[in-house]
Amino acid sequence: MRRQPFRAAEGGHLIDRTEPLRFDFDGHRHEGYRGDSLASGLLAAGVRIVARSFKYHRPRGVWGFGPEEPNAMVTTGVREEARPNLKATEVPLSEGLEAFGQNAWPSVSWDLGGAAGLAGGLMPAGFYYKTFMAPARWWPALYEPLIRRMAGFGPAPSAPDDAFYAKRRIHADVLVAGGGPAGVAAALAAARAGARVVLADENVRFGGDLLRAPGEIDEGDGLDWIDTAVAELEAMSHVRLLRRATVAGYYDHNLLTVAERPGGEAPAGAPAARLWFVRARDVVIAAGAHERPLLFDGNDRPGVMSASAAGGYAHAYGVLAGRNAVVAGNNDSIYRVARLLRSAGVGIAAVADTRSGGDIRDLPCRAGGTVERVLGSRRVRGVLLRRADGRAGDKGERIACDLVAVSGGWSPAVHLHAQARGSLGYNEERGLILPDRPGGANRSAGAAAGRFDLDGCLAEGWTAGVAAAASSGHERPAGEPPRSPDRSAWEAPVFWQTGGGKRFVDLQYDVTAADVDLAAREGYRSVEHVKRYTALGMGTDQGKTSGMAGLVLLSEALGRPVARTGTTTFRPPYTPVPMAAMASGLIGEGRDALRRTAADDWHEARGALFTAAGLWRRPRYYPREGMDEEEAISAEVRETRAGVGIVDVGTLGKVDIQGRDAAAFLDLLYANRMSSLKTGRGRYGLMLREDGRVFDDGVVMRLGENHFYLTTTTAHQHEAMQHIELLLQTVWPELEVYATDVTEHWFAAALAGPGSRALLGRAAPELDLSDDAFPMMAVRAATVAGLSALVFRMSFSGELSYEIAVPADQGLALWTRLLTEGREDGLTPYGTEAMGTMRIEKGHVTHAEADGRTTPDDLGLGRMVRAEGPGIGKRSLELPALRRKGRQQLVGLSVIDGEARIPPGCQVVESDDMKPAPPLGHVTSFCYSPTLGRALALALVENGRARTGQTVYIASPMIDLSMAAEIVSPVFYDAQGTRLHG
Amino acid sequence: MLLIPCPFCGARDETEFAYGGDAGVERPTDPEAATDEAWTDYLCFHDNPKGPHRELWFHRDGCRRWLEVERDTWTHELGAVRLSRP
Ligand SMILES: [Zn+2]
């Protein structure tokens, strides 16, 4: 037997017969040619059953030619390379391609689930809602696995997909969606006018409908004209052509997404899929039209196919979708298809035209005839034809055939127009839903606007291209639009159906005409509700073939005009976009910019384990030989408290504030007074939100009369700067203040511990470090380790401590010189864990405590707030809700069992009986304190300060854990602060 | 995605901006003198119109200016864009 029994001896402009390709479908080896789609390859091989339907598991064949395909859903590849839910019409054939039909086990041609089809009628509209209702306990064990197995749309890949996916963002004057005659004419007109044009088409070759059937343009072959035009466009530097690229989404302000899937054997380095974001001044929607089905009994049998697709397989691929065809429809396009099939070598058994009169001598016409029923159970063996007018006594005519090519007219692809919130109108006379008023700068042209004749498409496309280019100021190009003698309009004003039997409306979701009727009888009126109740149009084809049929059936059942029923909402994407393309750039390495401090290289060389702090990475701790994590962190704490440690604080937000009104502004920005600061001194400050909650904290240093330097937390540096700019620009624009984010300009390191004075004394010999000359919260300019620096005396650890800031490019030098200088002091670098442990021991708050709900008083910082003055947030502190009794307050929790450790996410409760009860509060921060030899926590507890001395329980019901703890002051260590002086 | 014409930087994607809410909300000049009710109105009770809306947008990844943008919340059509309190 020939390997491609259904390949015509010649023909097929998309294939290269010199390059055969082998591929597997459901484990069987087949052969096709370079240029084939999987669908054309399967048809050429004689494979007719390519999938099973979703609900009834009925055998299904290829129906369409492109993205409208409802049936031929396949998975390509296995395991981690499995790509489910692809349409065979859109998968390019490649050497060694492995593909599998979906919704069937063990294979599409022998499917056990097909038993559901034998019991057809048992699964009416709303089947899932009605059947899987109760009892609820049956869900996990019975219903869910059953539905999942029966309804699966192919297997998910079993491992991460390591293929390369990409995104690109571009601007264009004109985006043309669709590269058929109208689209190419539009692109040509706009590009010749000088506009920057992007032309995208879903196929590998431009041409649109001309790929499926020949046509004449400018006295020559239509496809030749297209090729010449495309070559002209390709040569223009201001034009970008995208092939196998579907304009999928139309968003606000003319942002459109284009999903490009090179597919097949894409060149090395090309992404498996790429999502383009095109911001276009104007858009020409030349998306074409989708052929409608005819409704008759058995219209889902393999062998029943869209007429234009059947013709297209013959013309584009030299593939015969059958040996002997009945062509049936309600419009003139069926004659074109019949001739195409005949010239490719398909026998034409009959051409049934529902309209009377259209008798054509050279074809076996049945004017006024239609298909009533398909004969054959697994595939088409023949049809029963009847007179369309239902004349009495008509016994019908049985005709043997293996292909039924049907055309119920054409539905313009109004999706993009509607996504852009353009309005739609129903043209009763023509039976078409057409674009009405556009939403945004776009225009529809060609079949997408209801023009079905080639000449009209060319003219309309050209005009649209000229107008779209004019939007960006480009003048009309020279030359005339291309012309065609083809002025045949495929009007199909009457929606056609025959009564009775299994008439499928939505092939993908197995929705029949009877289901739509039933939904109407059960009281559904809204087309949106019917869609959800019956699942009509909810498949991956999104009702491209079924939408119009459903709409007409519902309107008939409800006895109202189609225009009143309206359409469901068109939402992006027009065709499925691979999740991996959407996720590109949003996952994994490279998702965020990585900020490294000036000393990062040193931390890395030292083997630090890092943690993320905003975009920064900071050392968590420095692992030590023979120590576990807690021991290594505890060592860092102990050595700092006993000697001297150093920590990289380069990540803190830093803001330089200058100007005549700088001091006055800081009084408004902070809840406490800053204008009273003396030059050379600093103060801890609290920033509130206008609603009175603590927003951020940091230190403000006065460097001069009108010059301040302030720090923000690492976490809120961007928000704090934005907040400052909001106040300066919108609330107090009259103040003369200049705020500059200098976070990147400065590196800073803190020396902490009783040994810090001696070490700094050697590094900065001219600096007087005595308490009198350099008291707490003072700032001095000095030379440190040979570098010009600012030195602040402040402490987060509770020890004597100095923060040294130098310009960022000298940060690494400062760090390494201090480390070298400190060798004799036993200087210990410590990370965020040790820093956090020491701050918990001292009861300092961070964003775990200032969580956006707490006031200064809640945090025990109420005394810092200056009573008078118009500062941000202070008025809110007077509101009753923020003053009421019973608010949660910051407390310390000292765990009684010295061996216990606190897990994350704990509640604070009154009893240890583990019974559900409202918690008193929750743990905000916790650590093991090597200084006190036990676990400590900071917590927000209802009326917390009044409970000091009480025993409460730290509980984590999820892991059945409860431990007793005493409520104490949050300052666990050195409450008098004597250690600050070394 | 909105395309916001910044008077300094030109038309830029919405992702470069941060939203700042209703531009018509006036901060009481003397907060201490405001009643609890007036203050809560200022804090919490803002209009949420369907249609034209004057709102603040911060050009975070650009010139870092707070802009006052007229936006139709229903169609996303933009009107005048100007500096907030120039
Ligand atoms: Zn700007």
Side-chain angles (χ1 to χ4, degrees):
Chain A
M1 195 174 125
R2 280 170 55 215
R3 273 196 245 160
Q4 300 189 40
F6 286 82
R7 184 80 65 177
E10 52 189 38
H13 60 83
L14 286 182
I15 56 165
D16 178 357
R17 288 176 188 257
T18 66
E19 210 180 327
L21 301 173
R22 282 161 305 170
F23 69 100
D24 286 343
F25 184 72
D26 275 351
H28 293 282
R29 174 60 51 91
H30 302 289
E31 189 195 272
Y33 290 125
R34 169 84 55 206
D36 263 323
S37 69
L38 177 59
S40 69
L42 288 169
L43 287 170
V47 177
R48 289 294 179 265
I49 303 177
V50 296
R52 288 276 171 165
S53 70
F54 177 67
K55 200 158 76 176
Y56 300 130
H57 285 225
R58 285 168 71 99
R60 290 285 163 80
V62 174
W63 198 90
F65 195 76
E68 76 285 3
E69 176 60 42
N71 278 342
M73 303 289 293
V74 299
T75 295
T76 64
V78 291
R79 290 181 296 277
E80 67 273 16
E81 293 188 345
R83 301 227 154 74
N85 300 336
L86 302 176
K87 297 173 181 114
T89 51
E90 295 189 305
V91 176
L93 216 53
S94 57
E95 178 62 31
L97 177 74
E98 271 186 291
F100 305 88
Q102 290 187 179
N103 293 341
W105 187 86
S107 76
V108 290
S109 56
W110 174 247
D111 170 45
L112 295 176
L118 300 176
L122 284 181
M123 298 168 89
F127 171 77
Y128 294 103
Y129 303 111
K130 288 167 179 163
T131 309
F132 300 114
M133 284 290 287
R137 66 192 151 80
W138 285 12
W139 259 104
L142 187 63
Y143 293 158
E144 194 182 323
L146 185 72
I147 291 177
R148 280 190 189 280
R149 204 178 61 225
M150 298 282 286
F153 263 167
S158 60
D161 178 357
D162 56 7
F164 165 50
Y165 294 87
K167 279 181 185 154
R168 282 198 66 178
R169 289 171 173 77
I170 55 173
H171 291 259
D173 292 327
V174 178
L175 170 67
V176 181
V184 171
L188 201 58
R192 283 186 185 164
R196 291 173 303 158
V197 173
V198 175
L199 170 62
D201 188 84
E202 65 202 11
N203 287 301
V204 70
R205 185 175 185 186
F206 291 97
D209 186 60
L210 290 170
L211 299 180
R212 292 183 294 201
E216 187 187 323
I217 300 177
D218 283 354
E219 290 163 19
D221 177 68
L223 261 190
D224 285 348
W225 181 87
I226 295 273
D227 287 347
T228 309
V230 166
E232 181 183 336
L233 289 167
E234 207 137 43
M236 298 188 205
S237 60
H238 59 291
V239 175
R240 186 189 292 274
L241 302 178
L242 297 176
R243 295 176 173 86
R244 283 189 59 76
T246 309
V247 181
Y250 197 134
Y251 302 90
D252 290 316
H253 295 190
N254 268 23
L255 181 76
L256 292 97
T257 54
V258 184
E260 183 193 11
R261 307 182 72 156
E265 289 149 29
R274 177 158 45 194
L275 192 58
W276 296 79
F277 295 81
V278 184
R279 185 76 79 167
R281 293 278 189 88
D282 209 305
V283 178
V284 176
I285 300 168
H290 299 123
E291 193 157 38
R292 299 175 186 168
L294 293 180
L295 299 194
F296 50 78
D297 187 9
N299 63 343
D300 67 323
R301 283 279 173 260
V304 179
M305 186 183 278
S306 143
S308 65
Y313 284 112
H315 184 61
Y317 300 107
V319 167
L320 312 179
R323 303 257 180 242
N324 201 19
V326 166
V327 185
N330 61 353
N331 64 84
D332 286 349
S333 72
I334 56 176
Y335 298 102
R336 183 182 85 160
V337 168
R339 292 204 180 88
L340 259 182
L341 291 175
R342 188 175 58 189
S343 63
V346 179
I348 302 299
V351 179
D353 189 334
T354 58
R355 304 165 299 174
S356 53
D359 206 349
I360 305 228
R361 224 162 267 239
D362 64 330
L363 290 167
C365 287
R366 302 293 190 279
T370 189
V371 177
E372 166 143 318
R373 184 151 61 87
V374 164
L375 311 173
S377 61
R378 278 166 59 83
R379 42 177 292 190
V380 171
R381 308 228 173 258
V383 292
L384 179 65
L385 290 187
R386 264 195 206 284
R387 290 194 52 83
D389 59 12
R391 185 181 299 170
D394 175 17
K395 287 207 170 60
E397 180 188 7
R398 282 169 181 268
I399 299 182
C401 65
D402 62 351
L403 171 65
V404 187
V406 298
S407 178
W410 297 79
S411 297
V414 297
H415 305 65
L416 294 173
H417 167 87
Q419 284 179 25
R421 299 204 245 189
S423 61
L424 296 170
Y426 181 66
N427 185 320
E428 186 87 45
E429 221 169 286
R430 304 180 65 201
L432 295 178
I433 292 171
L434 292 171
D436 188 14
R437 186 187 44 75
N442 69 65
R443 53 212 74 238
S444 296
R451 288 302 292 257
F452 298 130
D453 62 307
L454 184 50
D455 193 50
C457 285
L458 291 165
E460 212 171 272
W462 184 271
T463 307
V466 170
S471 289
S472 45
H474 294 89
E475 284 176 24
R476 172 180 293 278
E480 290 300 309
R483 298 300 304 263
S484 171
D486 172 9
R487 291 179 186 81
S488 56
W490 301 335
E491 298 300 308
V494 181
F495 176 77
W496 194 258
Q497 56 166 321
T498 43
K502 276 211 162 297
R503 298 170 299 148
F504 284 86
V505 183
D506 185 322
L507 291 166
Q508 187 163 105
Y509 266 16
D510 270 348
V511 180
T512 65
D515 290 327
V516 178
D517 258 9
L518 179 63
R521 284 206 308 280
E522 290 184 354
Y524 288 89
R525 293 291 178 273
S526 152
V527 66
E528 297 280 7
H529 292 160
V530 170
K531 168 178 170 173
R532 282 151 186 82
Y533 189 57
T534 62
L536 189 147
M538 288 174 72
T540 60
D541 60 336
Q542 289 183 33
K544 289 185 178 62
T545 55
S546 62
M548 192 62 201
L551 185 52
V552 171
L553 290 173
L554 179 64
S555 302
E556 281 180 2
L558 296 174
R560 69 187 184 196
V562 170
R564 263 196 57 210
T565 299
T567 66
T568 52
T569 307
F570 290 90
R571 293 190 177 87
Y574 168 70
T575 55
V577 175
M579 293 293 285
M582 294 194 212
S584 159
L586 301 176
I587 53 171
E589 226 178 284
R591 180 189 63 180
D592 298 315
L594 179 63
R595 299 179 80 181
R596 303 165 191 259
T597 72
D600 187 83
D601 284 349
W602 189 94
H603 303 315
E604 180 155 323
R606 178 66 177 249
L609 286 183
F610 288 96
T611 185
L615 295 179
W616 296 98
R617 67 170 194 176
R618 305 185 69 176
R620 268 186 71 220
Y621 70 100
Y622 302 87
R624 298 189 185 198
E625 193 74 35
M627 289 191 189
D628 67 13
E629 180 176 326
E630 184 181 286
E631 287 164 349
I633 293 164
S634 296
E636 290 176 10
V637 172
R638 265 194 303 268
E639 289 165 18
T640 300
R641 291 223 185 277
V644 56
I646 184 168
V647 63
D648 181 344
V649 292
T651 61
L652 286 182
K654 308 166 197 83
V655 185
D656 183 275
I657 303 266
Q658 300 191 43
R660 195 186 58 210
D661 301 315
F665 173 65
L666 293 178
D667 280 348
L668 297 165
L669 180 64
Y670 287 91
N672 44 334
R673 189 190 287 279
M674 293 298 170
S675 54
S676 58
L677 267 176
K678 293 186 172 61
T679 297
R681 299 302 295 263
R683 187 169 289 159
Y684 175 70
L686 270 189
M687 266 188 233
L688 305 185
R689 296 194 316 220
E690 190 72 298
D691 66 4
R693 273 69 173 191
V694 176
F695 165 57
D696 201 58
D697 64 345
V699 170
V700 178
M701 295 283 175
R702 190 165 206 164
L703 302 179
E705 176 62 21
N706 294 324
H707 188 189
F708 293 81
Y709 174 99
L710 57 94
T711 64
T712 73
T713 58
T714 300
H716 275 182
Q717 53 188 280
H718 304 294
E719 288 82 354
M721 193 62 205
Q722 186 173 318
H723 178 63
I724 289 169
E725 285 164 316
L726 175 74
L727 298 179
L728 285 177
Q729 292 177 34
T730 74
V731 184
W732 295 295
E734 67 278 9
L735 296 182
E736 192 193 298
V737 178
Y738 306 94
T740 310
D741 184 342
V742 293
T743 304
E744 295 281 349
H745 301 60
W746 293 94
F747 169 82
L751 289 173
S756 58
R757 184 178 277 136
L759 169 53
L760 183 59
R762 293 201 308 282
E766 83 280 24
L767 198 57
D768 184 350
L769 293 175
S770 68
D771 262 347
D772 288 343
F774 200 162
M776 267 299 284
M777 300 309 285
V779 56
R780 299 283 181 268
T783 301
V784 180
L787 304 166
S788 151
L790 284 175
V791 182
F792 310 108
R793 182 170 167 196
M794 64 172 100
S795 180
F796 196 49
S797 58
E799 302 296 328
L800 171 69
S801 175
Y802 301 90
E803 256 183 56
I804 304 146
V806 294
D809 60 350
Q810 289 161 54
L812 186 58
L814 174 76
W815 182 268
T816 50
R817 288 180 199 179
L818 286 174
L819 261 294
T820 307
E821 183 66 48
R823 209 169 280 154
E824 62 185 83
D825 310 77
L827 178 61
T828 298
Y830 63 92
T832 54
E833 291 287 342
M835 186 177 76
T837 299
M838 288 188 278
R839 74 98 186 162
I840 291 171
E841 289 171 343
K842 288 296 297 177
H844 292 309
V845 301
T846 65
H847 288 293
E849 288 75 34
D851 61 359
R853 294 176 290 188
T854 45
T855 65
D857 183 64
D858 296 342
L859 298 176
L861 300 170
R863 278 174 305 131
M864 286 183 61
V865 180
R866 182 169 49 105
E868 77 288 2
I872 292 292
K874 282 194 289 186
R875 174 64 183 85
S876 293
L877 298 177
E878 308 300 319
L879 294 174
L882 274 66
R883 299 174 68 88
R884 72 174 169 81
K885 297 253 181 300
R887 289 185 62 85
Q888 294 192 339
Q889 295 169 331
L890 184 73
V891 296
L893 296 177
S894 179
V895 176
I896 287 160
D897 174 2
E899 297 304 307
R901 298 290 182 270
I902 304 170
C906 284
Q907 303 292 317
V908 178
V909 293
E910 258 180 318
S911 135
D912 69 343
D913 61 9
M914 299 301 277
K915 293 220 175 80
L920 294 174
H922 65 279
V923 170
T924 55
S925 302
F926 59 91
C927 68
Y928 168 71
S929 164
T931 315
L932 302 177
R934 63 183 65 249
L936 305 178
L938 295 176
L940 288 165
V941 172
E942 198 179 296
N943 279 328
R945 290 195 285 271
R947 293 178 193 267
T948 302
Q950 288 182 12
T951 297
V952 290
Y953 297 88
I954 296 174
S956 183
M958 300 296 286
I959 54 172
D960 205 27
L961 174 135
S962 174
M963 67 181 81
E966 188 190 345
I967 294 188
V968 296
S969 154
V971 186
F972 296 93
Y973 181 60
D974 186 30
Q976 272 64 52
T978 50
R979 301 190 61 83
L980 291 171
H981 304 284
Chain B
M1 194 197 322
L2 306 186
L3 190 66
I4 300 174
C6 173
F8 292 109
C9 312
R12 297 303 179 106
D13 275 353
E14 177 187 336
T15 50
E16 292 187 6
F17 294 80
Y19 183 64
D22 193 335
V25 176
E26 290 285 333
R27 187 174 198 265
T29 44
D30 184 0
E32 300 303 312
T35 62
D36 280 357
E37 199 183 350
W39 187 254
T40 335
D41 272 353
Y42 154 68
L43 276 183
C44 307
F45 293 94
H46 303 161
D47 290 339
N48 183 23
K50 175 182 171 182
H53 191 222
R54 282 193 317 139
E55 51 199 25
L56 292 172
W57 287 81
F58 177 55
H59 197 184
R60 185 193 55 219
D61 300 339
C63 58
R64 299 193 68 86
R65 288 307 304 249
W66 280 91
L67 307 174
E68 193 179 307
V69 177
E70 283 177 32
R71 181 179 66 105
D72 188 306
T73 60
W74 176 236
T75 64
H76 288 318
E77 231 167 90
L78 298 188
V81 177
R82 63 178 81 88
L83 273 182
S84 175
R85 320 278 168 93

